[in-house]
Amino acid sequence: MAEIEAVLKIGIEKVFLQIIASDENLSTAEKIDDCRKVIEKVRGTFGNDLVIMTDPQGVCFREDLRWGVSTNEKEIDAERTLDVLIHTASSFADAGINAFITIGRVNHEVKAVREAYNRLYPGVDVYSFSTNSETSNAYIQETKYDPGLALTGQKILVGNKHEMILRALIDVAEGTQMMLQKPIESFHLVEYIRCLIEEEIALESFLSKPVVKRLIEDNNLAGDLFVDTSSLLSNLKKVKLGAYEVSGTYMIYKMLEENPSVSEKLIFSLLDEMYKGFCSAAGNSLGLLVGRNMSWYARLAKEYK
């Protein structure tokens, strides 16, 4: 609450709440309710002018860093996970969020939330971590001693550009309004998607690549979503591109900050370059940047610019 108050004073009017339930032993329904109470408190304290975004991570986050409802065999039950996702999105919308961000772990998350919101909460936006990759830079507290823990099998392997872009296009077809690149450093994906939006790269040329056609056929992900490319392109042109600064990126800059031989101005300059690089890649489709460093950066921006 103190951090929100502080960022409001320096002109930041949007916050991303990543809420963790107070007790990991709570049932899934209890965790959803626990997180909902936090949103209600924030909304009640700061009023309707504050833009609140959140994701469902704290509801079904497992020790093995996978996300979702477990089967008896400890695997992910995709159907039940989508049911929980809809319940979570609806509960958070009731509490007063402005945007819900799908986490990018099971198929058709955007479709499930978008359909629920169209019926009940048409004013709440749906964003997505569409190009979520298996990077050891995420969940740094859990993976810093064993980067292999980051390989959850739920996200996309680093370097699988075509699959990441295809996943993004599926989310576009299913109704996402903003795609948040996670981690922020993958500028190449954002640049490619921006080129598709601006038709510098033809959508048909991407979809006709043998590797992309094979992904669609082998995984049966898209169904008939790509039959009408004119409709897909129309949706794509409405989408904004954002980025999420994962915990590992944050920790790198915190370690620099704690090093007495590194100046504060240099750390600011490095962050400034990274943020500018992303903004350049997103171009006219730039949406927003989400980062734990953002309030620190904003406070110093007036001094160093």
Side-chain angles (χ1 to χ4, degrees):
M1 302 296 278
E3 177 69 6
I4 295 174
E5 188 172 344
V7 299
L8 283 170
K9 287 180 179 178
I10 58 175
I12 295 176
E13 299 175 340
K14 300 180 180 181
V15 294
F16 177 94
L17 303 180
Q18 193 163 73
I19 311 165
I20 305 299
S22 58
D23 184 348
E24 64 180 20
N25 295 314
L26 294 174
S27 68
T28 300
E30 289 171 330
K31 287 180 179 179
I32 294 172
D33 192 55
D34 211 30
C35 294
R36 177 187 58 78
K37 290 175 182 176
V38 175
I39 297 166
E40 288 178 341
K41 184 176 181 179
V42 172
R43 177 59 75 206
T45 301
F46 296 103
N48 292 329
D49 290 338
L50 179 68
V51 175
I52 300 175
M53 300 164 281
T54 188
D55 71 2
Q57 179 184 320
V59 172
C60 293
F61 193 50
R62 307 184 341 166
E63 286 187 5
D64 61 2
L65 306 187
R66 301 177 83 192
W67 189 90
V69 179
S70 300
T71 65
N72 292 334
E73 291 77 30
K74 304 299 182 182
E75 292 301 317
I76 299 295
D77 186 320
E79 187 173 345
R80 290 174 60 205
T81 297
L82 287 177
D83 287 341
V84 166
L85 186 69
I86 293 169
H87 181 191
T88 304
S90 299
S91 179
F92 289 4
D94 274 335
I97 62 170
N98 300 96
F100 184 86
I101 305 171
T102 60
I103 200 166
R105 298 298 194 99
V106 297
N107 294 330
H108 310 306
E109 292 178 19
V110 170
K111 179 182 179 182
V113 176
R114 182 74 274 166
E115 289 179 351
Y117 277 4
N118 284 345
R119 292 193 306 271
L120 302 171
Y121 309 97
V124 181
D125 292 338
V126 179
Y127 302 161
S128 54
F129 290 131
S130 303
T131 53
N132 204 351
S133 62
E134 294 275 25
T135 171
S136 56
N137 201 24
Y139 307 123
I140 197 72
Q141 292 299 331
E142 293 84 357
T143 63
K144 61 184 176 182
Y145 298 113
D146 183 4
L149 293 173
L151 300 176
T152 67
Q154 273 194 307
K155 299 188 287 180
I156 305 169
L157 292 177
V158 173
N160 284 14
K161 180 180 78 171
H162 293 101
E163 184 175 358
M164 291 180 187
I165 295 168
L166 180 62
R167 290 280 180 177
L169 292 176
I170 290 171
D171 283 352
V172 168
E174 291 185 349
T176 189
Q177 292 158 276
M178 186 184 305
M179 294 181 289
L180 295 169
Q181 172 55 45
K182 184 180 182 181
I184 187 174
E185 290 87 349
S186 295
F187 297 158
H188 64 294
L189 299 172
V190 177
E191 172 78 6
Y192 198 104
I193 295 169
R194 181 195 61 75
C195 287
L196 290 172
I197 291 172
E198 297 180 359
E199 297 186 80
E200 292 179 18
I201 299 174
L203 187 56
E204 290 83 355
S205 71
F206 173 76
L207 293 173
S208 64
K209 290 179 181 292
V211 63
V212 176
K213 291 172 71 175
R214 188 168 66 249
L215 281 168
I216 294 172
E217 292 165 2
D218 289 352
N219 295 286
N220 193 29
L221 291 176
D224 59 357
L225 293 177
F226 299 150
V227 172
D228 181 6
T229 55
S230 62
S231 177
L232 177 61
L233 183 59
S234 177
N235 287 344
L236 188 59
K237 287 181 176 293
K238 301 171 189 173
V239 168
K240 294 297 183 181
L241 302 175
Y244 178 92
E245 188 178 40
V246 298
S247 58
T249 302
Y250 170 72
M251 288 295 293
I252 288 168
Y253 289 99
K254 288 300 291 183
M255 286 188 288
L256 286 172
E257 184 182 350
E258 292 163 4
N259 187 330
S261 66
V262 180
S263 72
E264 183 180 72
K265 189 170 185 178
L266 174 60
I267 301 168
F268 173 84
S269 297
L270 293 173
L271 268 176
D272 190 54
E273 287 182 12
M274 181 172 70
Y275 294 155
K276 284 178 178 175
F278 178 82
C279 292
S280 174
N284 292 330
S285 296
L286 177 65
L288 55 85
L289 298 175
V290 178
R292 296 163 176 85
N293 280 308
M294 199 58 66
S295 57
W296 180 88
Y297 171 82
R299 280 191 284 267
L300 293 178
K302 292 181 180 178
E303 180 179 348
Y304 291 138
K305 287 199 171 186

